[in-house]
Amino acid sequence: MSSPEQRRAGAPSSWEVYRRLFGYTRPYRIGLVAALLGMIVAAATEPLFPALMKPLLDQGFVARVEFPLWMVPAGLIGIFVVRGVATFTSSYAMAWVSNRVLVDLRREMFARTMHLPSAAFEREASGTLISRIVFEVTNVTAAVTQALTVLVRDSLVIAGLLGWLMYLNWKLTLIALALIPILAVVVVIYSRRVRKLNRRTLDYTAEMTHVVEQAVHGHKVIKIFGGYDEQASVFARASERLRGFAMRITVAGSATVPITQLAAAVAVAVVVLIALLQSAGDQTTVGGFVSFITAMLMLLAPLKRLADVNAQLQRGLAAAAAVFALLARPEEADRGTRRLERARGELAFEHVSVRYPGAASDALRDVDLRVRAGEVVALVGASGAGKTTLMNLLPRFLEPSAGRITIDGVPLDELRLADLRRQFALVSQEVILFNDTIRANVAFGSEGSVTDERIWAALEAAVLEPVVRALPQGLDAPVGERGTRLSGGQRQRLALARAIVKDAPILLLDEATSALDSETEREVQLALERTMRGRTTLVIAHRLSTIEGADRILVFDQGRVVEQGTHAGLLGADSLYARLYRIQYGNPQTGKGDS
């Protein structure tokens, strides 16, 4: 996502943002039309009340009554009944449109987020993305609906009341209208200020969301290391920054109201003075004077709401600009057109290099290797040697800086992403489970319906079947957020079962047994060996005993493949692999530590 500075530098105008935002209401134009009609009817009833005052006073109190008395209360009740029905209709219809637009925006934002390049998730705080989708978008719908309601309804009310005022006394009305340019200047000045502050507030809201998310996910670390005060201090600073900008917005937004009211009060005072002078000269009637003053006073409420809505509108437009900035971000490249149902599993890396943005050196340097279909290849080496980088290139989580990668002789970028990723099943050290049932997690992402028999078979292969059968709810047992209801080893075995159910031709195992105890590891290792048969498998392992049976072992060092061979061959060569093995297990020839 673009930085706050970039967003501010290239920020679109309010009209451009609002026009694009309003486009989201097109599928729901019927509801919008119903809301607008309700607003028009409700607004039309406003001038009727002061209009009734003139004949009521002139004929009902001063002169002889020329109409039935019951018509006055009946007219008043009728006005408010019509206004109530119209107001309810407009409010309900606008809320319906608002919630529909909110759902559409969230769906579009979520879909775009899921299709962002993987690098975007690594370099950007997750709290920022969460804030955009969950919180900021609600301000957007306020701009579309609530602000629109005030703008349309109260503008019509003001127009109707001004029309009645012009009819009663155009001279007095023109005097009152002379103060409108002053109000317009005030609103424009404060609009710019409020929108700028709202952009900064959105940034600080995202920052605070990130702080909370970190604290929730890292609660065990905070507890064990006694980091309460430190995290509380971080949250307090983020909250204070947000509070400071919220108060600045309040000052900027609230200042428009007293200025507007003062200008209106001055206008009313001047009009009253002139009307009294006209009355003294028999230029107006009592009914006309009271009707005029009533309409003038009724103008204050919609003028106040129009002044108030500006802050809400600017907050919504600032949020909309942030939402559209997310929607404008490019999705991960998917230019491939070739289809691939099921690969044989032959992989080739042709002089592949990778350099991360901002890095001083390559993470992978001129890697050139072939992996035969059905071959089990282990990747070993120190942390940061390039093993995970190479594995992330296969499903195109990363793109090579140089060289190319093929699967069954076809370059990866010529394949559709969906077809390419269908060929892989991934089990990583960092197990990702969803807050759903065991059944849903094992069958996650599998094409078509997955029978319970297949799920039980996968759980059995992953040495998890007895655990699940012992649960009261069985396959319907919830795993909790991030699998918190399961142990670390159970979570990893559940991820193994998910990979087994997918039945992909290529397995990617990144420390897949790291969270298992020795006994369970041996059982899962046997299950993995059965699963690997007939499949191309790439295994990252720091525990070298788990890869002794690999067809080939690639040893990475500083982004290069410096050695390759079988376990026995590399040990016999007294190579880097032998030294790594000796560090873990002692003398590789005797299996005992050096004396």
Side-chain angles (χ1 to χ4, degrees):
M1 185 170 293
S2 58
S3 66
E5 291 76 13
Q6 289 172 325
R7 289 208 308 272
R8 284 189 285 272
S13 68
S14 297
W15 170 244
E16 291 171 337
V17 173
Y18 203 89
R19 184 172 58 183
R20 180 177 177 184
L21 195 54
F22 200 76
Y24 282 87
T25 65
R26 288 195 188 101
Y28 315 111
R29 59 175 65 91
I30 294 178
L32 192 62
V33 168
L36 292 174
L37 288 175
M39 294 178 204
I40 292 171
V41 173
T45 63
E46 293 283 343
L48 293 180
F49 182 72
L52 280 176
M53 300 300 293
K54 188 176 188 302
L56 178 63
L57 292 174
D58 287 344
Q59 299 180 36
F61 292 96
V62 178
R64 188 168 189 167
V65 178
E66 297 180 358
F67 52 84
L69 292 177
W70 63 266
M71 291 183 63
V72 177
L76 289 174
I77 293 173
I79 289 172
F80 283 96
V81 168
V82 172
R83 182 186 301 178
V85 172
T87 300
F88 174 82
T89 301
S90 66
S91 297
Y92 181 86
M94 193 58 79
W96 182 79
V97 174
S98 170
N99 285 288
R100 291 284 184 173
V101 170
L102 179 62
V103 169
D104 289 347
L105 279 171
R106 279 186 170 146
R107 283 177 175 171
E108 191 174 344
M109 292 170 70
F110 185 81
R112 178 53 60 96
T113 300
M114 291 297 97
H115 287 88
L116 290 176
S118 296
F121 295 94
E122 296 173 1
R123 66 172 178 260
E124 188 163 5
S126 56
T128 300
L129 295 172
I130 294 171
S131 178
R132 295 282 182 270
I133 298 172
V134 177
F135 302 115
E136 292 182 11
V137 72
T138 57
N139 290 326
V140 174
T141 55
V144 174
T145 56
Q146 297 175 25
L148 180 64
T149 299
V150 174
L151 287 171
V152 173
R153 183 189 61 205
D154 288 326
S155 295
L156 291 173
V157 169
I158 291 172
L161 290 173
L162 285 176
W164 176 246
L165 290 174
M166 290 289 289
Y167 170 77
L168 287 176
N169 195 323
W170 64 270
K171 294 180 182 179
L172 292 180
T173 305
L174 291 179
I175 293 172
L177 292 178
L179 293 173
I180 286 183
I182 299 175
L183 298 178
V185 171
V186 171
V187 170
V188 169
I189 292 174
Y190 280 99
S191 293
R192 294 172 181 169
R193 173 68 173 165
V194 169
R195 188 179 180 192
K196 181 179 179 181
L197 290 173
N198 271 303
R199 290 195 196 104
R200 299 294 301 276
T201 300
L202 294 177
D203 296 333
Y204 286 125
T205 300
E207 178 187 336
M208 190 170 70
T209 303
H210 177 59
V211 171
V212 174
E213 183 193 25
Q214 280 193 133
V216 170
H217 292 159
H219 68 95
K220 292 181 180 178
V221 175
I222 294 172
K223 292 177 185 295
I224 202 71
F225 287 97
Y228 298 99
D229 293 340
E230 181 179 346
Q231 286 300 304
S233 177
V234 172
F235 181 79
R237 288 195 297 270
S239 298
E240 184 62 25
R241 282 193 291 269
L242 186 59
R243 184 204 63 80
F245 270 89
M247 291 308 301
R248 290 165 70 177
I249 291 174
T250 300
V251 170
S254 300
T256 59
V257 176
I259 292 174
T260 302
Q261 289 179 328
L262 178 62
V266 171
V268 170
V270 172
V271 166
V272 168
L273 175 62
I274 296 176
L276 289 173
L277 294 176
Q278 289 182 343
S279 179
D282 293 329
Q283 298 177 17
T284 184
T285 64
V286 173
F289 173 74
V290 173
S291 179
F292 193 94
I293 293 300
T294 301
M296 280 284 294
L297 294 175
M298 289 178 67
L299 273 174
L300 295 181
L303 283 173
K304 179 181 181 299
R305 287 194 293 268
L306 282 176
D308 284 340
V309 80
N310 179 62
Q312 183 184 55
L313 180 61
Q314 295 306 317
R315 184 165 56 249
L317 292 176
V323 168
F324 293 148
L326 171 62
L327 295 178
R329 296 182 64 181
E331 297 181 354
E332 57 183 342
D334 188 10
R335 296 181 295 272
T337 56
R338 300 182 63 169
R339 293 180 174 272
L340 181 62
E341 289 302 322
R342 187 175 180 88
R344 297 191 310 275
E346 180 182 326
L347 303 172
F349 295 80
E350 302 173 0
H351 303 286
V352 171
S353 296
V354 174
R355 176 172 294 194
Y356 291 101
S361 59
D362 290 342
L364 283 181
R365 290 186 288 171
D366 196 31
V367 174
D368 192 75
L369 63 93
R370 299 285 190 277
V371 178
R372 298 185 302 276
E375 186 178 13
V376 177
V377 177
L379 315 179
V380 302
S383 296
K387 308 181 297 297
T388 301
T389 297
L390 181 135
M391 191 174 281
N392 284 336
L393 288 170
L394 289 172
R396 288 185 58 195
F397 295 153
L398 293 174
E399 297 289 346
S401 306
R404 73 170 189 166
I405 307 168
T406 64
I407 179 171
D408 293 351
V410 180
L412 298 189
D413 57 1
E414 293 185 10
L415 292 170
R416 299 191 318 159
L417 270 179
D419 287 348
L420 171 65
R421 290 171 179 169
R422 190 185 301 123
Q423 314 308 317
F424 299 98
L426 171 66
V427 182
S428 63
Q429 182 177 9
E430 183 185 357
V431 177
I432 302 298
L433 297 178
F434 299 92
N435 191 9
D436 208 327
T437 63
I438 290 175
R439 176 188 286 105
N441 274 279
V442 174
F444 181 79
S446 297
E447 296 182 351
S449 60
V450 179
T451 63
D452 285 357
E453 288 73 15
R454 280 186 63 191
I455 294 175
W456 283 118
L459 292 171
E460 181 182 8
V463 199
L464 195 60
E465 182 193 14
V467 175
V468 177
R469 289 199 182 276
L471 296 173
Q473 295 170 277
L475 293 178
D476 293 318
V479 302
E481 186 178 2
R482 298 192 173 193
T484 52
R485 297 192 179 187
L486 304 176
S487 69
Q490 290 169 348
R491 289 196 293 269
Q492 203 148 32
R493 281 179 278 169
L494 193 61
L496 285 173
R498 180 168 59 198
I500 292 169
V501 164
K502 185 176 182 183
D503 191 29
I506 304 173
L507 283 176
L508 304 177
L509 306 176
D510 186 356
E511 288 292 326
T513 60
S514 63
L516 306 179
D517 58 81
S518 299
E519 182 179 354
T520 306
E521 182 185 23
R522 285 194 297 271
E523 296 175 345
V524 173
Q525 197 66 38
L526 291 173
L528 281 174
E529 289 174 4
R530 292 195 298 269
T531 306
M532 291 178 196
R533 290 172 190 160
R535 291 179 173 83
T536 305
T537 307
L538 270 66
V539 185
I540 294 177
H542 291 292
R543 197 180 302 173
L544 302 184
S545 62
T546 62
I547 56 163
E548 293 179 0
D551 297 322
R552 189 160 37 128
I553 298 172
L554 305 179
V555 184
F556 283 75
D557 186 38
Q558 297 182 358
R560 292 181 180 274
V561 178
V562 295
E563 300 170 2
Q564 57 179 304
T566 63
H567 172 72
L570 290 173
L571 287 183
D574 194 22
S575 58
L576 174 60
Y577 178 79
R579 290 196 294 275
L580 293 173
Y581 195 91
R582 189 180 300 116
I583 291 171
Q584 287 190 17
Y585 303 106
N587 191 322
Q589 301 302 325
T590 65
K592 300 178 181 178
D594 295 335
S595 58

